[in-house]
Structure formats: structure tokens, C-alpha cells
């Protein structure tokens, strides 16, 4: 079953926008338009006449969007998701996930629910993905630091690779510090003493 | 026991009392640990306050009223047990429009009646030659910026929204929007006007205090029901902000305050520029000298006392801008936003 509800997704992050669109399609919504910039937003709203507008909270143009709804002749009077206070839990989940939605007055509020639910779970999934990516990146950075420090230890102490690594591990354990911290100290010291 | 409070703010000089309370140890002395969270839009602050991701928020006084009354599609009742400042805005036009206005001005452009008349001349000249209407930006629909722009233009019969377009542009984008010609002028808080002048793209026409003196600009907003429920937290924060107001009002502290505000997780703007704003030393641009503006922005104890009369003044401005039809009931509810109930209950000294 597909729905005829038109959804405009305003998201500066094209990857997240794609993930949201995919989720909405899976949930049976097919009339989806993506806008990444707020500059063309008035035109997009006029052209597509959406029933629902979804926007990410990181977008500083959210205030402009809200105002556009006040004055735009292109749209019937829209309202934000929390005029209806009946589902406080979902509203809270949306704000926490970093997404807000505007629905055109007249659209039954229960029809917003599955849309918002999809956006919330996709936003959360994207945040988790980004977190994992950041973590992977910082692990890679730490790996590089440790390798560099190991090289310094090998050179200065005339040790083999495994011995140098073991020495750093031991130091970290004795000082109850992370191996990457020890590596950072070694690199700093080596630079100061150069 | 120390109370932890999360307070949202936008990077503007008028977050000064919050930053001073959080970063100088004033809050701790009042049994508070403040976590200041920088945000990107007023809508976000309102929503995060509403779902209690924030305990309190830096808020435009008219937005607190609109949100309480439910105009603008959202009903999220707020109470402001204290203000954060009066004044602090300025009206900036692009360097090009300033030159044009200077050419047609009949008198001193520093006089709002003269500058509004010069604008009217530009507006009709553009209409006559088929040029698109001029566009002015405010940072939020329900804001003193909108009303300052509207009432200034009205001095010469120019209607904002009809003869000149109103665009909503987030503060961080004002300078860029002016430089690119997307807008011809804007009204915003500090430091955006001086940043536009320093960047050589704009000239300050008037400061807010020239047009509507002592206009309530930002408030500290709580959820209306929390103000009743969390009296102790509200009282402690009020006390901390009153002490911060004393510290901020002492000229000797301006260099340190500017340094605190300049920090990357606060305003991330040059300290020297912020200090100049605190001193009221306003660069004007357009080949004019530095102007000393007393009360450019007010943080003193008298300024931050909540007063129901503020609601009357703002409602009247909202009505002139066509945002609301004032009724007796609406007036009562708007006045309740500035009800200094906590201050009264705890016999707080402003």
C-alpha cells in the first residue's frame, strides 16, 4: 500500500536525507522530495505543496522555515508536530533524535505518526553510524600515534619492534594510562628533545 | 546540595549574564552547576525546553509571548522570571544602500525620520523603474528585530512585508546575506552588526535604543509549569543572574567578560569586538566615526526585573505588525509571562 501524502525532507546532510527517504519509501510513502538548501525552500514548497515537512534541527534556517509557513501564500496553514500534546513521548523522541516536522493543517494527526516514527528511527540510526565512524577514525588515529611512538622507542633504545611495544604497554599499565596517551607523551618528549 | 541545570543559548552578546554566571563561579556560589548548551535556532531552544531537554533557555521576549499564546502554530507556555537584557540591537544596511540613502537624504541620516524618508525615496524609485523590492532580514518572526524594522519604516509610510520584503535569516548568516545582496539590510543583535561593518559590507543606520529605547530583548525562559514546580531551582538561578548582572555591569570586568564570551564554545567571536559592544563603542561604517552609544545594551539590575508592562509594549508591537489581535484575555496571558512571581515569593532584590 502506498500513501499519497507528500513529504518534503529538508536536510543539509545528503547521506542522512537518502537514509530517511529510503525509510519512508519502505514505510509506504512514495511522494518524497528532498531539499538540501533553505534557499530554494519557498520555491520547493510552492512547487510541491507538501502535506508534511521534515527538517533536521542542526539546520539554522529552521526559524526561517517556521516563518515561511506563517506568511507563505503557497501553503495552507501548517502546524508543528507538537500542537497536539497527546503523544508527548513521540515528540520528545523526535526532538532528542534531532528532527522536527510540520504538518499542514487539515491532515489528520495520526497520519503523521508513522512518518515521524520512521524519521526518528532513521535519525537515530544515522547518529549511531556517525558515532561508530568517529570511533573507528579515532582508533585509526591512535593506531598511527602508537606506531610513531614505537618507532621512536626502537630508535632511541635500540629495541626491536615487539620489545618496544611491550615496553610501552608495560609503562601504560604501570601508570594506569591509555597506550595512546603514553604514545602521545613519547612523541611530545621526542619533539622537545630533538 | 548542588543543582544541575541545563540552559540553552544562541551565540549572542546578550547571553552575557548566563555566561558570566556559569564561567566565573557565581552559579556555584548559589548552589548551581550550569551546563550551557549552544544551539542554532530559537525554534530549537523552544522545543528542547518544551520536552525538558533543557531546564531553561535564552529566549527572545516576543517569542516567549508568542509561544505562550500559541500564535505561530506552537503552544508551549513559558514564564520569564527574569530578563537577560534590554536593547542590544542595531539596524544595518548594505554599503551600497547606505550610499544611495545618503545621496537622497534630506537632513542627517542619524535621525530615524530622515533615514526612513530616504528609504521611502529608494522604495518608490525602485518601484517606478521596475526593480525588485528591497529585502530586510530579521532573525525570527516574533522578535524585537521585526518590530524595530517595521516601526522604523512606518515613520515614512513604508510597509514591511508589502513595500519591502521581510526575510528571516539566522544571525550566523546575516553578514553573508548582506554581502551577497540576498538582503539589503538587517536588524539583529550584537555582534552581527559590528561584524558586518568590520567586514566592510554594511553600515549601521540606527541602534535599537535610538528607535525604541529599553525594549525587552531576551529573557530567561522556563516552562510555565516548571516555574511553579521547581521554585527552588528558579530562585537560585534568579539570584545567580542578579549577581551576574552586578558583575557584568562593572566596567572593570568588561575585558574578562569579553574574553569569556569570545571562547569557542560560547560566541566564537573576537574578544575586542565584543568588548567594544559592551562599552557601547559602536563602529558605524559608511565613513562615519566611532559612535559612543550609552545603554547600547543594558544588563543592570533595573533592566532585568520582569515587568508585566513589557508584555503590553510587545503585544502592541506585535499587533502593529499584524501578528496578533489584542484582546483582554490575550493581554492577561501575555502579562503572566513576565509575572515576577518567584522574585516576589522569595523577596528577591533586583
Amino acid at each position: 500500500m502506498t500513501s499519497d501524502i507528500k513529504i518534503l525532507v529538508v536536510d543539509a546532510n545528503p547521506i542522512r536525507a537518502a537514509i530517511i527517504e529510503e525509510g519512508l519509501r519502505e514505510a509506504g510513502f512514495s511522494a518524497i522530495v528532498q531539499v538540501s538548501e533553505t534557499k530554494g525552500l519557498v520555491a520547493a514548497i510552492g512547487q510541491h505543496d507538501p502535506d508534511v515537512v521534515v527538517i533536521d534541527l542542526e539546520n539554522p534556517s529552521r526559524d526561517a522555515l517556521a516563518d515561511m509557513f506563517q506568511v507563505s501564500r503557497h501553503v495552507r496553514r501548517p502546524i508543528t508536530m507538537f500542537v497536539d500534546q497527546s503523544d508527548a513521548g513521540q515528540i520528545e523522541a523526535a526532538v532528542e533524535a534531532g528532527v522536527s516536522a510540520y504538518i499542514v493543517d487539515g491532515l489528520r494527526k495520526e497520519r503523521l505518526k508513522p512518518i515521524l516514527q520512521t524519521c526518528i528511527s532513521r535519525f537515530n540510526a544515522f547518529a549511531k553510524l556517525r558515532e561508530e565512524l568517529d570511533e573507528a577514525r579515532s582508533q585509526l588515529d591512535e593506531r598511527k600515534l602508537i606506531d610513531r611512538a614505537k618507532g621512536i622507542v626502537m630508535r632511541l633504545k635500540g629495541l626491536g619492534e615487539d620489545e618496544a611495544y611491550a615496553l610501552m604497554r608495560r609503562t601504560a599499565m604501570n601508570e594506569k594510562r591509555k597506550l595512546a596517551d603514553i604514545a602521545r607523551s613519547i612523541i611530545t618528549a621526542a619533539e622537545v628533545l630533538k | 546540595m548542588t543543582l544541575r541545570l541545563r540552559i540553552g543559548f544562541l551565540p549572542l552578546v546578550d547571553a552575557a549574564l548566563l555566561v558570566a554566571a556559569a564561567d566565573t563561579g557565581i552559579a556555584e556560589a548559589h548552589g548551581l552547576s550550569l551546563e550551557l548548551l549552544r544551539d542554532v535556532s530559537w525554534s530549537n531552544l523552544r522545543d528542547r525546553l518544551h520536552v525538558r531537554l533543557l531546564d531553561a533557555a535564552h529566549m527572545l521576549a516576543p517569542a516567549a509571548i508568542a509561544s505562550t499564546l500559541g500564535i505561530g502554530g506552537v503552544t508551549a507556555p513559558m514564564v520569564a522570571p527574569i530578563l537577560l537584557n534590554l536593547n542590544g540591537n542595531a539596524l544595518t544596511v548594505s554599503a551600497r544602500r547606505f550610499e544611495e540613502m545618503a545621496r537622497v537624504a534630506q537632513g542627517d541620516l542619524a535621525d530615524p525620520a530622515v533615514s526612513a524618508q530616504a528609504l521611502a525615496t529608494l522604495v518608490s524609485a525602485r518601484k517606478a523603474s521596475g526593480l525588485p523590492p528591497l529585502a530586510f532580514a530579521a532573525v525570527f518572526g516574533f522578535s524585537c528585530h521585526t518590530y524595530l524594522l517595521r516601526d522604523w519604516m512606518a515613520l515614512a509610510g513604508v510597509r514591511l512585508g508589502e513595500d519591502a520584503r521581510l526575510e528571516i535569516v539566522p544571525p550566523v548568516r546575516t553578514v553573508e546575506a548582506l554581502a551577497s545582496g540576498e538582503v539589503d539590510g538587517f536588524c539583529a543583535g550584537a555582534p552581527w552588526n559590528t561584524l558586518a561593518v568590520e567586514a566592510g559590507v554594511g553600515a549601521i543606520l540606527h541602534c535599537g535604543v535610538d528607535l525604541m529605547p529599553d525594549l525587552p530583548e531576551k529573557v530567561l525562559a522556563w516552562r510555565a509549569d516548571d516555574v511553579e514546580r521547581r521554585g527552588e531551582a528558579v530562585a537560585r538561578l534568579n539570584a545567580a543572574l542578579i549577581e551576574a548582572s552586578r558583575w557584568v555591569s562593572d566596567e572593570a570586568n568588561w575585558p574578562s567578560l569579553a574574553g569569556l564570551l569570545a571562547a569557542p564554545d560560547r560566541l566564537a567571536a573576537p574578544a575586542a569586538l565584543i568588548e567594544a559592544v559592551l562599552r557601547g563603542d559602536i563602529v558605524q561604517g559608511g565613513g562615519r566615526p566611532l559612535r559612543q552609544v550609552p545603554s547600547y545594551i543594558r544588563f543592570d539590575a533595573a533592566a532585568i526585573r520582569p515587568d508585566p508592562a513589557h508584555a503590553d509594549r510587545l503585544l502592541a508591537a506585535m499587533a502593529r505588525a499584524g501578528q496578533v489581535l489584542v484582546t483582554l484575555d490575550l493581554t492577561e496571558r501575555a502579562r503572566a509571562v513576565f509575572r515576577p512571581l518567584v522574585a516576589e515569593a522569595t523577596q528577591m532584590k533586583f
Side-chain angles (χ1 to χ4, degrees):
Chain A
M1 193 196 82
T2 57
S3 165
D4 55 350
I5 295 181
K6 255 194 210 169
I7 306 169
L8 188 73
V9 178
V10 187
D11 198 327
N13 188 315
I15 299 168
R16 184 170 53 200
I19 291 175
I20 293 164
E21 174 159 354
E22 187 212 358
L24 289 170
R25 285 193 191 283
E26 274 174 23
F29 300 96
S30 54
I32 301 159
V33 182
Q34 280 186 32
V35 183
S36 60
E37 264 195 88
T38 18
K39 261 193 179 171
L41 201 51
V42 181
I45 288 176
Q47 189 189 339
H48 302 288
D49 191 22
D51 301 296
V52 177
V53 179
V54 175
I55 183 167
D56 73 287
L57 299 191
E58 289 161 30
N59 193 330
S61 295
R62 197 182 154 210
D63 288 338
L65 176 73
D67 192 73
M68 205 175 287
F69 286 151
Q70 294 300 304
V71 295
S72 175
R73 292 188 190 95
H74 301 295
V75 275
R76 287 164 284 155
R77 200 171 169 75
I79 50 182
T80 53
M81 56 181 181
F82 66 79
V83 162
D84 179 11
Q85 317 268 358
S86 60
D87 198 351
Q90 202 190 24
I91 289 158
E92 201 177 317
V95 175
E96 212 157 351
V99 61
S100 176
Y102 294 80
I103 59 173
V104 170
D105 208 358
L107 185 78
R108 287 208 324 280
K109 279 161 199 141
E110 54 268 34
R111 298 190 73 185
L112 177 69
K113 261 192 173 179
I115 298 172
L116 203 51
Q117 199 46 56
T118 304
C119 291
I120 292 168
S121 57
R122 292 284 159 149
F123 258 77
N124 284 334
F126 180 79
K128 198 157 164 269
L129 201 72
R130 188 147 68 177
E131 229 167 71
E132 283 167 6
L133 199 67
D134 284 349
E135 205 177 309
R137 207 170 278 149
S138 85
Q139 274 174 2
L140 192 69
D141 288 347
E142 286 187 356
R143 196 68 253 160
K144 281 186 193 152
L145 276 179
I146 292 165
D147 281 345
R148 221 177 118 199
K150 194 168 66 183
I152 295 169
V153 175
M154 286 163 69
R155 205 173 58 243
L156 291 182
K157 302 207 62 153
L159 296 174
E161 194 176 341
D162 291 346
E163 289 165 304
Y165 186 72
L167 177 62
M168 282 165 62
R169 280 286 306 267
R170 240 184 355 260
T171 313
M173 272 156 70
N174 288 345
E175 296 191 12
K176 293 191 174 57
R177 285 164 65 197
K178 283 176 67 186
L179 188 56
D181 291 339
I182 297 293
R184 223 169 266 129
S185 309
I186 293 170
I187 294 165
T188 311
E191 265 161 20
V192 171
L193 299 175
K194 210 172 340 189
Chain B
M1 202 188 75
T2 302
L3 285 174
R4 260 194 80 231
L5 295 178
R6 293 154 306 170
I7 305 177
F9 74 103
L10 250 50
L12 292 162
V13 171
D14 57 26
L17 295 190
L18 294 172
V19 171
D23 297 348
T24 62
I26 291 175
E28 278 80 1
H30 289 270
L32 293 172
S33 152
L34 300 187
E35 188 186 352
L36 297 192
L37 300 157
R38 188 163 73 172
D39 217 316
V40 298
S41 73
W42 297 111
S43 302
N44 281 4
L45 288 178
R46 178 202 59 210
D47 290 0
R48 291 191 162 124
L49 179 68
H50 185 70
V51 302
R52 294 201 171 92
L53 285 173
L54 295 173
D55 297 296
H58 180 208
M59 186 55 60
L60 296 156
I65 293 179
S67 170
T68 300
L69 300 180
I71 19 179
V74 178
T75 311
M78 297 178 187
V79 163
I82 198 162
L83 269 69
L84 294 178
N85 65 305
L86 297 176
N87 305 331
N89 295 316
L91 209 163
T92 299
V93 291
S94 67
R96 182 161 169 205
R97 299 296 169 233
F98 183 78
E99 271 171 39
E100 291 174 1
M101 288 174 75
R103 224 174 294 138
V104 299
Q106 296 183 321
D108 187 356
L109 269 186
D111 177 351
V114 172
S115 64
Q117 193 52 55
L119 177 81
T121 308
L122 254 61
V123 166
S124 18
R126 291 178 72 86
K127 211 174 198 171
S129 32
L131 289 167
L134 296 174
F136 284 82
V139 301
F140 197 74
F142 302 103
S143 68
C144 291
H145 317 106
T146 305
Y147 313 135
L148 287 166
L149 277 172
R150 193 222 156 262
D151 288 359
W152 166 65
M153 291 181 186
L155 291 174
V158 177
R159 293 160 304 173
L160 182 65
E162 293 182 43
D163 304 318
R165 281 195 301 129
L166 173 66
E167 295 256 337
I168 302 301
V169 174
V172 290
R173 281 206 56 242
T174 46
V175 177
E176 174 197 332
L178 197 65
S180 70
E182 189 185 330
V183 299
D184 300 285
F186 68 79
C187 183
W192 300 102
N193 299 281
T194 33
L195 277 168
V197 173
E198 296 283 0
V201 299
I204 293 179
L205 270 185
H206 304 291
C207 297
V209 70
D210 305 330
L211 301 168
M212 295 165 89
D214 290 349
L215 207 52
E217 175 56 33
K218 301 295 182 333
V219 299
L220 181 78
W222 290 75
R223 271 182 68 123
D225 50 358
D226 279 357
V227 166
E228 318 264 350
R229 225 168 40 86
R230 305 182 61 193
E232 174 65 23
V234 176
R236 283 195 205 177
L237 186 53
N238 257 22
L241 290 171
I242 291 167
E243 194 182 329
S245 145
R246 242 173 264 133
W247 189 81
V248 165
S249 301
D250 183 349
E251 198 175 330
N253 296 322
W254 289 346
S256 1
L257 175 62
L260 293 175
L261 285 167
D265 56 344
R266 301 301 185 224
L267 271 61
L273 205 136
I274 295 170
E275 197 184 324
V277 170
L278 295 172
R279 295 190 179 284
D281 288 338
I282 307 299
V283 283
Q284 303 187 87
R288 295 162 303 165
L290 189 84
R291 183 182 159 204
Q292 168 48 227
V293 185
S295 305
Y296 175 76
I297 188 162
R298 282 186 61 188
F299 298 110
D300 56 285
I304 61 172
R305 179 200 297 272
D307 182 347
H310 288 322
D312 300 344
R313 203 167 164 207
L314 291 175
L315 263 185
M318 291 165 90
R320 287 196 299 277
Q323 293 177 337
V324 67
L325 283 174
V326 180
T327 64
L328 209 57
D329 167 61
L330 225 56
T331 308
E332 277 316 304
R333 282 157 62 211
R335 287 174 71 97
V337 174
F338 297 95
R339 190 174 40 167
L341 74 181
V342 179
E344 273 162 19
T346 54
Q347 299 187 327
M348 190 100 19
K349 296 232 168 23
F350 277 88

